[in-house]
């Protein structure tokens, strides 16, 4: 643990019970974003993370940022812009860059193809710690690292507390708050609290989406990937021990795939035609080549002084590593543990195949000079600390965003995504599904840049829980479950406009329940499922009804008539404050 990490965790050392205004469970980018947004507004936040690193997908899962194409020239939230700036500043301040790299305005340490900021995960960890440090020092934020969620205490339509275990010290803590945010990777709080949710594939009869399945199948889930980091030292031999399941795995093949998964020949994500994607198509030092090595390269040695890096370093999150044999979500703890271990072995088996049996671009077989680099991932085995999850549980929300709202082909004659009257954020990503546990092939289709409506963040029943992080935050079911939308800062801002600690006693978290009720009242007033600013109704919102996957819906136990016109005006103002041009701390802004 670094000095900064120890300082951030120290404030939480005493006490079996902690109270805060907001408890955020999950320390990925979504949880960190929500924590920062709430802390800036003066709320007291406890942030819980099971691992010793914060950052989730960007750090513990070993996935470089996969961003929209305008990230360098148009817009980003202030907190995300600060993260990107901090990563570049860390390299310029502490790393032995060449003068040319140090002077580059858009420094890309790895020159990877997927992002203009491919970087080493451990650097992002330090920057995230730095972003939180002022709030920790001020007593607004307490970070509980290496704390595992055990259970959730529920009273009717409200969460009262969560119980967590301090793993290093083997003791339990109970965390109390009037507001909770589920930022876990697969929506663990939703399940433990009995919050209405779905997982897997939903039925076309329910959503009307062109690419949905005819029938719901909760265990039709996208493949996960256990990523790894590697460099390449020709002439050396760093071959790992042969994985026990290697002989079976090296010939494993999806029915929809053109050949064995351990191959340079893939199924094209869009056309499903065979496509060659080898490890190398030329020099590893080339600035940009269309091969696996350059896709997610996180350290380009020519960006650094001579001798500082013996080789480039790349992160492997490649189609050949997609583990689809067993589902992860909605299964028992033992079955989940088995599947996760198999995913780890799957990645190691592919790495062994590359070292020994893979056809080389220059003739022969095997790149024995490939070396696992767990040091950049904070591990000793070369693999990431955590699997990369592409989907999880998804709340039954007041409003569901569908393919018809954002998909290009699903909106014939339209030149943009559906506008929403209650938009609190924006996003941009293709509708992108990897092969599934039922053997389905990929779905990869165009989408418009889209708005994120507040109604998609509000559970249909529970009053004081908001989802965050990946697919537990909202869904375009089932075809955009990997859209990587992170409007968590916006949702936290809505709660933190008046810090919960300043609310009158007995207010029952007026920033959440009235939010939902006034949203629903506004919708009912116009007799539509969704409204845009022009007052038009959307014809594509999902009808409210019993869930066909996940947990059944239950009647609301209480109604709060005080959520009237004043609350409606308040939430409309809150939503407006999250739009472009906002002068609040997390405003969207122009960025170089």
């Amino acid at each position: 643990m670094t000095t900064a990490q120890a300082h951030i965790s120290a404030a939480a050392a005493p006490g079996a019970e902690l109270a805060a205004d907001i408890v955020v469970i999950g320390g990925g980018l979504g949880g960190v974003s929500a924590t920062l947004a709430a802390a800036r507004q003066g709320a007291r936040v406890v942030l819980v993370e099971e691992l010793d690193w914060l950052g989730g997908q960007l750090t513990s899962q070993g996935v470089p940022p996969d961003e929209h194409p305008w990230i360098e020239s148009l817009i980003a939230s202030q907190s995300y812009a600060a993260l990107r700036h901090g990563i570049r500043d860390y390299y310029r301040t502490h790393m032995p860059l060449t003068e040319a790299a140090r002077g580059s305005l858009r420094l890309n340490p790895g020159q990877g193809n997927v992002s203009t900021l491919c970087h080493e995960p451990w650097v992002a960890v330090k920057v995230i710690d730095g972003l939180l440090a002022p709030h920790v020092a001020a007593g607004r934020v307490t970070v509980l690292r290496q704390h595992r969620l055990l259970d959730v205490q529920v009273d009717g339509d409200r969460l009262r507390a969560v119980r967590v275990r301090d793993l290093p010290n083997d003791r339990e803590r109970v965390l109390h708050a009037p507001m909770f945010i589920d930022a876990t990777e697969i929506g663990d709080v939703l399940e433990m609290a009995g919050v209405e949710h779905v997982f897997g594939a939903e039925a076309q009869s329910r959503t009307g989406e062109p690419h949905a399945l005819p029938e719901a199948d909760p265990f039709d889930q996208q493949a996960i990937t256990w990523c790894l980091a590697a460099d390449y030292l020709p002439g050396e031999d760093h071959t790992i021990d042969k994985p026990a399941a290697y002989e079976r795995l090296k010939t494993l093949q999806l029915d929809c795939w053109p050949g064995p998964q351990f191959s340079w020949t893939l199924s094209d994500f869009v056309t499903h035609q065979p496509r060659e994607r080898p490890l190398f198509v030329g020099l590893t030092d080339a600035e940009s080549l269309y091969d696996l090595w350059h896709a997610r390269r996180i350290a380009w040695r020519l960006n650094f002084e001579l001798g500082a890096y013996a080789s480039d370093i790349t992160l492997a999150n490649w189609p050949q590593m997609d583990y689809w044999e067993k589902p992860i979500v909605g299964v028992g703890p033992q079955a989940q543990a088995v599947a996760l271990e198999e995913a780890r072995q799957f990645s190691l088996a592919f790495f062994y195949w590359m070292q020994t049996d893979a056809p080389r671009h220059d003739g022969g077989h095997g790149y024995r000079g490939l070396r696992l680099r767990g040091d950049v991932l904070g591990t000793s085995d070369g693999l990431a600390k955590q699997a990369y999850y592409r989907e999880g549980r998804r709340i039954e929300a007041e409003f569901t965003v569908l393919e018809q709202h954002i998909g290009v082909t699903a909106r014939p004659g339209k030149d943009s995504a559906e506008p929403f009257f209650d938009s609190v954020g924006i996003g941009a990503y293709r509708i992108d599904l990897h092969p599934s546990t039922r053997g389905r092939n990929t779905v990869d289709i165009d989408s418009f840049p889209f708005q994120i409506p507040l109604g998609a963040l509000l559970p249909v029943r529970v009053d004081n829980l908001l989802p965050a992080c990946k697919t537990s935050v909202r869904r375009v079911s089932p075809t955009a479950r990997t859209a990587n939308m992170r409007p968590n800062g916006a949702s936290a801002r809505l709660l933190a406009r008046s810090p919960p600690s300043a609310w009158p006693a007995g207010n029952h978290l007026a920033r959440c329940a009235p939010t939902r009720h006034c949203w629903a009242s506004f919708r009912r007033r116009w007799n539509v499922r969704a409204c845009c600013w022009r007052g038009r109704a959307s014809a594509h919102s999902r009808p409210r009804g019993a869930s066909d996957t996940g947990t059944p819906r239950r009647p609301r136990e209480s109604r709060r008539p005080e959520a009237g016109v004043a609350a409606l005006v308040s939430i409309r103002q809150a939503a407006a404050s999250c739009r472009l041009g906002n002068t609040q701390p997390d405003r969207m802004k122009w960025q170089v």
Side-chain angles (χ1 to χ4, degrees), residues 209 399-406 420 450-453 456 474-477 485:
E209 294 171 302
F399 177 75
T400 301
V401 178
L402 304 174
E403 180 184 353
Q404 298 93 310
H405 294 124
I406 71 170
F420 299 111
F450 47 81
Q451 296 179 3
I452 301 168
R474 63 186 283 265
R475 64 176 177 269
V476 181
S477 58
M485 312 166 201

Side-chain angles (χ1 to χ4, degrees), residues 64-274:
D66 201 346
E67 301 162 319
H68 64 70
W70 310 283
I71 190 66
E72 296 287 354
S73 58
L74 190 58
I75 52 174
S77 68
Q78 181 177 351
S79 59
Y80 190 66
L83 173 64
R84 298 182 96 253
H85 174 79
I87 290 169
R88 283 178 170 146
D89 186 63
Y90 188 93
Y91 274 94
R92 293 188 178 109
T93 303
H94 300 288
M95 302 297 283
L97 295 172
T98 64
E99 287 304 313
R102 195 180 309 279
S104 174
L105 181 64
R106 297 180 179 177
L107 170 65
N108 189 349
Q111 288 298 135
N113 296 336
V114 301
S115 171
T116 56
L117 189 56
C118 288
H119 60 277
E120 294 156 273
W122 65 269
V123 174
V125 173
K126 291 181 177 293
V127 175
I128 290 170
D129 288 348
L131 293 174
L132 288 168
H135 303 291
V136 173
R140 290 185 294 271
V141 171
T142 297
V143 181
L144 299 180
R145 284 184 177 78
Q146 294 179 278
H147 279 63
R148 177 176 296 159
L149 177 66
L150 297 179
D151 58 44
V152 180
Q153 298 175 15
V154 179
D155 181 9
D157 295 336
R158 299 180 57 76
L159 278 62
R160 295 301 182 188
V162 297
R163 186 165 60 96
V164 298
R165 179 176 295 280
D166 180 343
L167 298 177
N169 298 304
D170 193 26
R171 62 180 178 179
E172 294 184 3
R173 286 196 172 96
V174 178
L175 313 177
H176 301 270
M179 167 56 62
F180 297 85
I181 294 179
D182 183 357
T184 58
E185 290 299 322
I186 57 175
D188 293 329
V189 177
L190 301 182
E191 181 182 45
M192 292 184 182
V195 179
E196 290 78 2
H197 65 274
V198 298
F199 56 89
E202 294 173 75
Q204 190 177 67
S205 59
R206 186 183 192 208
T207 67
E209 294 171 302
H211 288 85
L213 297 182
E215 301 293 335
D217 184 351
F219 297 105
D220 188 319
Q221 302 171 14
Q222 290 188 80
I224 67 169
T225 301
W226 210 299
C227 301
L228 57 85
D231 61 8
Y232 180 51
L233 304 172
E236 299 185 12
D237 189 344
H238 296 279
T239 307
I240 63 173
D241 294 337
K242 182 178 180 180
Y246 177 71
E247 292 301 327
R248 180 183 72 86
L249 294 177
K250 75 175 183 179
T251 59
L252 187 67
Q253 179 178 349
L254 283 159
D255 290 340
C256 59
W257 219 247
Q261 194 163 338
F262 290 5
S263 168
W264 303 137
T265 304
L266 313 175
S267 172
D268 186 275
F269 269 36
V270 178
T271 66
H272 296 165
Q273 297 300 307

